[in-house]
Short mmCIF file of all heavy atoms in Angstrom, two decimals:
data_model
loop_
_atom_site.label_atom_id
_atom_site.label_comp_id
_atom_site.label_asym_id
_atom_site.label_seq_id
_atom_site.Cartn_x
_atom_site.Cartn_y
_atom_site.Cartn_z
N VAL A 235 -6.17 5.08 0.61
CA VAL A 235 -6.42 6.03 -0.37
C VAL A 235 -5.06 6.85 -0.40
O VAL A 235 -4.54 7.33 0.56
CB VAL A 235 -7.57 7.01 -0.06
CG1 VAL A 235 -7.73 8.09 -1.07
CG2 VAL A 235 -8.76 6.25 0.09
N HIS A 236 -4.52 7.12 -1.64
CA HIS A 236 -3.22 7.81 -1.83
C HIS A 236 -3.37 9.29 -1.80
O HIS A 236 -4.55 9.82 -1.82
CB HIS A 236 -2.64 7.35 -3.13
CG HIS A 236 -3.46 7.85 -4.40
ND1 HIS A 236 -3.37 9.02 -4.93
CD2 HIS A 236 -4.34 7.15 -5.14
CE1 HIS A 236 -4.16 9.16 -6.07
NE2 HIS A 236 -4.76 7.98 -6.20
N GLY A 237 -2.27 10.03 -1.90
CA GLY A 237 -2.29 11.46 -1.84
C GLY A 237 -2.09 11.96 -3.22
O GLY A 237 -2.67 11.40 -4.11
N ILE A 238 -1.49 13.14 -3.31
CA ILE A 238 -1.34 13.78 -4.74
C ILE A 238 -0.35 13.00 -5.50
O ILE A 238 0.54 12.38 -5.20
CB ILE A 238 -0.72 15.24 -4.42
CG1 ILE A 238 0.58 15.27 -3.87
CG2 ILE A 238 -1.76 16.03 -3.60
CD1 ILE A 238 1.26 16.55 -3.80
N GLY A 239 -0.65 13.07 -6.92
CA GLY A 239 0.20 12.57 -7.95
C GLY A 239 -0.06 11.02 -8.01
O GLY A 239 -0.59 10.39 -7.22
N PRO A 240 0.57 10.51 -9.14
CA PRO A 240 0.48 8.99 -9.40
C PRO A 240 1.50 8.23 -8.61
O PRO A 240 1.25 7.03 -8.53
CB PRO A 240 0.73 8.97 -11.05
CG PRO A 240 1.57 10.11 -11.24
CD PRO A 240 1.16 11.22 -10.36
N ALA A 241 2.54 8.81 -8.33
CA ALA A 241 3.66 8.26 -7.47
C ALA A 241 3.50 8.38 -6.01
O ALA A 241 3.16 9.48 -5.60
CB ALA A 241 5.10 8.61 -8.01
N CYS A 242 3.86 7.28 -5.19
CA CYS A 242 3.56 7.36 -3.78
C CYS A 242 4.86 7.27 -2.92
O CYS A 242 4.77 7.32 -1.73
CB CYS A 242 2.59 6.25 -3.45
SG CYS A 242 1.03 6.38 -4.15
N ASP A 243 6.03 7.11 -3.57
CA ASP A 243 7.25 7.13 -2.85
C ASP A 243 8.32 7.64 -3.68
O ASP A 243 8.11 7.90 -4.89
CB ASP A 243 7.56 5.71 -2.21
CG ASP A 243 7.84 4.72 -3.42
OD1 ASP A 243 7.72 5.05 -4.59
OD2 ASP A 243 8.11 3.55 -3.05
N ARG A 247 6.74 4.68 -7.34
CA ARG A 247 5.85 3.54 -7.50
C ARG A 247 4.41 3.93 -7.19
O ARG A 247 4.11 4.94 -6.55
CB ARG A 247 6.31 2.51 -6.44
CG ARG A 247 7.73 1.78 -6.57
CD ARG A 247 7.90 0.85 -5.63
NE ARG A 247 7.79 1.24 -4.25
CZ ARG A 247 7.66 0.41 -3.29
NH1 ARG A 247 7.79 -0.97 -3.45
NH2 ARG A 247 7.57 0.84 -2.02
N TRP A 287 -7.61 7.23 -7.19
CA TRP A 287 -8.55 8.39 -7.70
C TRP A 287 -7.76 9.31 -8.75
O TRP A 287 -8.32 10.13 -9.37
CB TRP A 287 -9.09 9.24 -6.51
CG TRP A 287 -8.07 9.82 -5.54
CD1 TRP A 287 -7.66 9.31 -4.49
CD2 TRP A 287 -7.45 11.16 -5.78
NE1 TRP A 287 -6.67 10.13 -3.84
CE2 TRP A 287 -6.51 11.30 -4.69
CE3 TRP A 287 -7.48 12.12 -6.81
CZ2 TRP A 287 -5.75 12.38 -4.61
CZ3 TRP A 287 -6.58 13.30 -6.70
CH2 TRP A 287 -5.70 13.34 -5.55
N HIS A 288 -6.48 9.26 -8.66
CA HIS A 288 -5.72 10.02 -9.65
C HIS A 288 -5.98 9.85 -11.06
O HIS A 288 -6.19 10.86 -11.90
CB HIS A 288 -4.29 9.93 -9.32
CG HIS A 288 -3.38 10.92 -10.14
ND1 HIS A 288 -2.83 10.50 -11.38
CD2 HIS A 288 -3.06 12.19 -9.93
CE1 HIS A 288 -2.15 11.52 -11.76
NE2 HIS A 288 -2.21 12.47 -10.99
N LEU A 291 -9.44 11.10 -12.26
CA LEU A 291 -9.50 12.63 -12.29
C LEU A 291 -8.75 13.07 -13.55
O LEU A 291 -9.32 14.05 -14.22
CB LEU A 291 -8.78 13.18 -11.10
CG LEU A 291 -8.55 14.67 -11.08
CD1 LEU A 291 -9.90 15.43 -11.01
CD2 LEU A 291 -7.66 15.04 -9.88
N HIS A 292 -7.68 12.53 -13.91
CA HIS A 292 -6.81 13.15 -14.94
C HIS A 292 -7.26 12.49 -16.33
O HIS A 292 -6.77 12.87 -17.52
CB HIS A 292 -5.43 12.86 -14.77
CG HIS A 292 -4.81 13.67 -13.64
ND1 HIS A 292 -4.07 14.88 -14.03
CD2 HIS A 292 -4.82 13.58 -12.43
CE1 HIS A 292 -3.79 15.44 -12.89
NE2 HIS A 292 -4.10 14.72 -11.91
N PHE A 314 5.58 17.83 -13.92
CA PHE A 314 5.43 17.41 -12.52
C PHE A 314 4.48 18.15 -11.69
O PHE A 314 3.60 17.47 -11.00
CB PHE A 314 6.84 17.35 -11.80
CG PHE A 314 6.69 17.00 -10.42
CD1 PHE A 314 6.67 15.76 -9.88
CD2 PHE A 314 6.77 18.02 -9.46
CE1 PHE A 314 6.65 15.34 -8.65
CE2 PHE A 314 6.70 17.69 -8.10
CZ PHE A 314 6.71 16.40 -7.69
N THR A 315 4.45 19.39 -11.95
CA THR A 315 3.46 20.28 -11.26
C THR A 315 2.05 20.02 -11.72
O THR A 315 1.11 19.93 -10.82
CB THR A 315 3.84 21.88 -11.56
OG1 THR A 315 5.17 22.07 -11.12
CG2 THR A 315 2.74 22.65 -10.81
N ASP A 317 0.93 17.29 -12.91
CA ASP A 317 0.51 15.92 -12.57
C ASP A 317 0.40 15.57 -11.13
O ASP A 317 -0.17 14.66 -10.78
CB ASP A 317 1.53 14.94 -13.31
CG ASP A 317 0.88 13.55 -13.61
OD1 ASP A 317 -0.36 13.55 -13.88
OD2 ASP A 317 1.55 12.59 -13.52
N THR A 318 1.04 16.48 -10.36
CA THR A 318 1.11 16.10 -8.90
C THR A 318 0.52 17.26 -8.07
O THR A 318 -0.49 17.16 -7.41
CB THR A 318 2.65 15.89 -8.50
OG1 THR A 318 3.03 14.89 -9.34
CG2 THR A 318 2.71 15.52 -7.14
N ILE A 319 1.23 18.43 -7.98
CA ILE A 319 0.87 19.42 -7.09
C ILE A 319 -0.46 20.03 -7.29
O ILE A 319 -1.19 20.46 -6.50
CB ILE A 319 2.00 20.59 -7.12
CG1 ILE A 319 3.33 20.03 -6.80
CG2 ILE A 319 1.58 21.75 -6.15
CD1 ILE A 319 4.41 20.94 -6.75
N LEU A 320 -0.87 20.06 -8.63
CA LEU A 320 -2.19 20.69 -8.96
C LEU A 320 -3.21 19.87 -8.45
O LEU A 320 -4.52 20.38 -8.31
CB LEU A 320 -2.39 20.77 -10.38
CG LEU A 320 -1.52 21.93 -11.13
CD1 LEU A 320 -2.01 22.08 -12.55
CD2 LEU A 320 -1.79 23.26 -10.46
N ASP A 321 -3.11 18.62 -7.85
CA ASP A 321 -4.12 17.85 -7.31
C ASP A 321 -4.77 18.61 -6.19
O ASP A 321 -5.98 18.44 -5.79
CB ASP A 321 -3.68 16.48 -6.88
CG ASP A 321 -3.53 15.61 -8.16
OD1 ASP A 321 -3.94 15.91 -9.18
OD2 ASP A 321 -2.91 14.46 -7.98
N VAL A 322 -3.94 19.27 -5.38
CA VAL A 322 -4.32 20.08 -4.21
C VAL A 322 -5.36 21.08 -4.65
O VAL A 322 -6.39 21.36 -4.05
CB VAL A 322 -3.17 20.63 -3.49
CG1 VAL A 322 -3.79 21.45 -2.33
CG2 VAL A 322 -2.29 19.65 -3.00
N PHE A 323 -5.07 21.78 -5.72
CA PHE A 323 -6.07 22.85 -6.24
C PHE A 323 -7.27 22.20 -6.91
O PHE A 323 -8.36 22.79 -6.76
CB PHE A 323 -5.34 23.72 -7.32
CG PHE A 323 -4.03 24.41 -6.72
CD1 PHE A 323 -2.77 23.85 -6.84
CD2 PHE A 323 -4.30 25.69 -5.98
CE1 PHE A 323 -1.69 24.60 -6.24
CE2 PHE A 323 -3.15 26.34 -5.59
CZ PHE A 323 -1.89 25.76 -5.72
N PHE A 324 -7.11 21.02 -7.44
CA PHE A 324 -8.27 20.39 -8.01
C PHE A 324 -9.28 19.99 -6.76
O PHE A 324 -10.51 20.19 -7.03
CB PHE A 324 -7.90 19.10 -8.64
CG PHE A 324 -7.37 19.26 -10.06
CD1 PHE A 324 -6.20 18.53 -10.39
CD2 PHE A 324 -7.88 20.09 -10.96
CE1 PHE A 324 -5.75 18.67 -11.73
CE2 PHE A 324 -7.31 20.39 -12.17
CZ PHE A 324 -6.22 19.67 -12.54
N TYR A 325 -8.70 19.65 -5.72
CA TYR A 325 -9.63 19.34 -4.63
C TYR A 325 -10.21 20.56 -4.06
O TYR A 325 -11.39 20.44 -3.49
CB TYR A 325 -8.83 18.63 -3.48
CG TYR A 325 -9.73 18.07 -2.37
CD1 TYR A 325 -10.60 16.95 -2.67
CD2 TYR A 325 -9.85 18.61 -1.13
CE1 TYR A 325 -11.53 16.45 -1.72
CE2 TYR A 325 -10.66 18.01 -0.16
CZ TYR A 325 -11.45 17.02 -0.59
OH TYR A 325 -12.31 16.57 0.50
N HIS A 365 -3.30 8.60 3.04
CA HIS A 365 -2.06 9.22 3.03
C HIS A 365 -1.95 10.70 2.42
O HIS A 365 -2.65 10.93 1.33
CB HIS A 365 -0.90 8.51 2.27
CG HIS A 365 0.38 9.13 2.17
ND1 HIS A 365 0.99 9.53 1.03
CD2 HIS A 365 1.32 9.44 3.16
CE1 HIS A 365 2.13 10.04 1.18
NE2 HIS A 365 2.29 10.04 2.54
N SER A 366 -1.48 11.64 3.11
CA SER A 366 -1.46 13.07 2.71
C SER A 366 -2.85 13.60 2.25
O SER A 366 -3.78 13.57 3.14
CB SER A 366 -0.54 13.01 1.47
OG SER A 366 -0.21 14.45 1.10
N LEU A 367 -3.07 13.98 1.05
CA LEU A 367 -4.37 14.57 0.67
C LEU A 367 -5.44 13.52 0.79
O LEU A 367 -6.69 13.89 1.02
CB LEU A 367 -4.27 15.17 -0.68
CG LEU A 367 -5.51 15.79 -1.34
CD1 LEU A 367 -5.87 17.04 -0.42
CD2 LEU A 367 -5.33 16.14 -2.71
N GLY A 368 -5.04 12.32 0.55
CA GLY A 368 -6.12 11.17 0.66
C GLY A 368 -6.74 11.20 2.02
O GLY A 368 -7.91 10.83 2.15
N SER A 369 -6.01 11.48 3.14
CA SER A 369 -6.61 11.53 4.49
C SER A 369 -7.67 12.62 4.57
O SER A 369 -8.69 12.51 5.30
CB SER A 369 -5.55 11.70 5.52
OG SER A 369 -4.81 12.92 5.32
N ILE A 371 -9.47 13.90 2.10
CA ILE A 371 -10.61 13.39 1.29
C ILE A 371 -11.52 12.46 2.08
O ILE A 371 -12.72 12.58 2.30
CB ILE A 371 -10.18 12.75 0.07
CG1 ILE A 371 -9.36 13.58 -0.84
CG2 ILE A 371 -11.39 12.20 -0.65
CD1 ILE A 371 -8.84 12.99 -2.07
N PRO A 513 -2.59 16.53 6.27
CA PRO A 513 -2.57 17.95 6.50
C PRO A 513 -4.05 18.36 7.05
O PRO A 513 -4.45 19.57 6.69
CB PRO A 513 -2.39 18.47 5.10
CG PRO A 513 -2.88 17.42 4.12
CD PRO A 513 -2.76 16.15 4.97
N PHE A 517 -5.83 22.30 6.74
CA PHE A 517 -6.94 22.62 5.97
C PHE A 517 -8.06 23.13 6.82
O PHE A 517 -8.81 23.98 6.42
CB PHE A 517 -7.36 21.37 5.12
CG PHE A 517 -6.62 21.33 3.75
CD1 PHE A 517 -5.37 20.67 3.70
CD2 PHE A 517 -7.10 21.85 2.77
CE1 PHE A 517 -4.73 20.55 2.47
CE2 PHE A 517 -6.48 21.84 1.52
CZ PHE A 517 -5.31 21.15 1.37
N VAL A 548 4.39 17.93 5.56
CA VAL A 548 2.95 18.04 5.21
C VAL A 548 2.12 17.74 6.41
O VAL A 548 0.90 18.05 6.46
CB VAL A 548 2.62 17.08 4.04
CG1 VAL A 548 1.13 17.26 3.60
CG2 VAL A 548 3.49 17.40 2.87
N HIS A 692 7.88 12.22 4.52
CA HIS A 692 6.51 12.31 3.96
C HIS A 692 6.20 10.90 3.33
O HIS A 692 4.88 10.69 3.20
CB HIS A 692 6.25 13.48 3.11
CG HIS A 692 4.83 13.62 2.74
ND1 HIS A 692 3.70 13.69 3.65
CD2 HIS A 692 4.23 13.52 1.50
CE1 HIS A 692 2.63 13.86 2.97
NE2 HIS A 692 2.87 13.75 1.65
N LEU A 693 7.13 10.24 2.81
CA LEU A 693 6.82 9.06 2.01
C LEU A 693 7.33 7.77 2.71
O LEU A 693 7.40 6.76 2.02
CB LEU A 693 7.51 9.22 0.63
CG LEU A 693 7.23 10.40 -0.15
CD1 LEU A 693 8.03 10.53 -1.37
CD2 LEU A 693 5.65 10.46 -0.50
#
Side-chain angles (χ1 to χ4, degrees):
V235 181
H236 65 85
I238 62 173
C242 297
D243 64 357
R247 297 185 304 167
W287 56 266
H288 181 270
L291 170 65
H292 288 262
F314 174 79
T315 302
D317 203 32
T318 304
I319 300 178
L320 286 188
D321 286 349
V322 179
F323 298 96
F324 283 139
Y325 189 69
H365 175 245
S366 188
L367 183 63
S369 62
I371 299 171
F517 271 87
V548 182
H692 183 59
L693 307 172

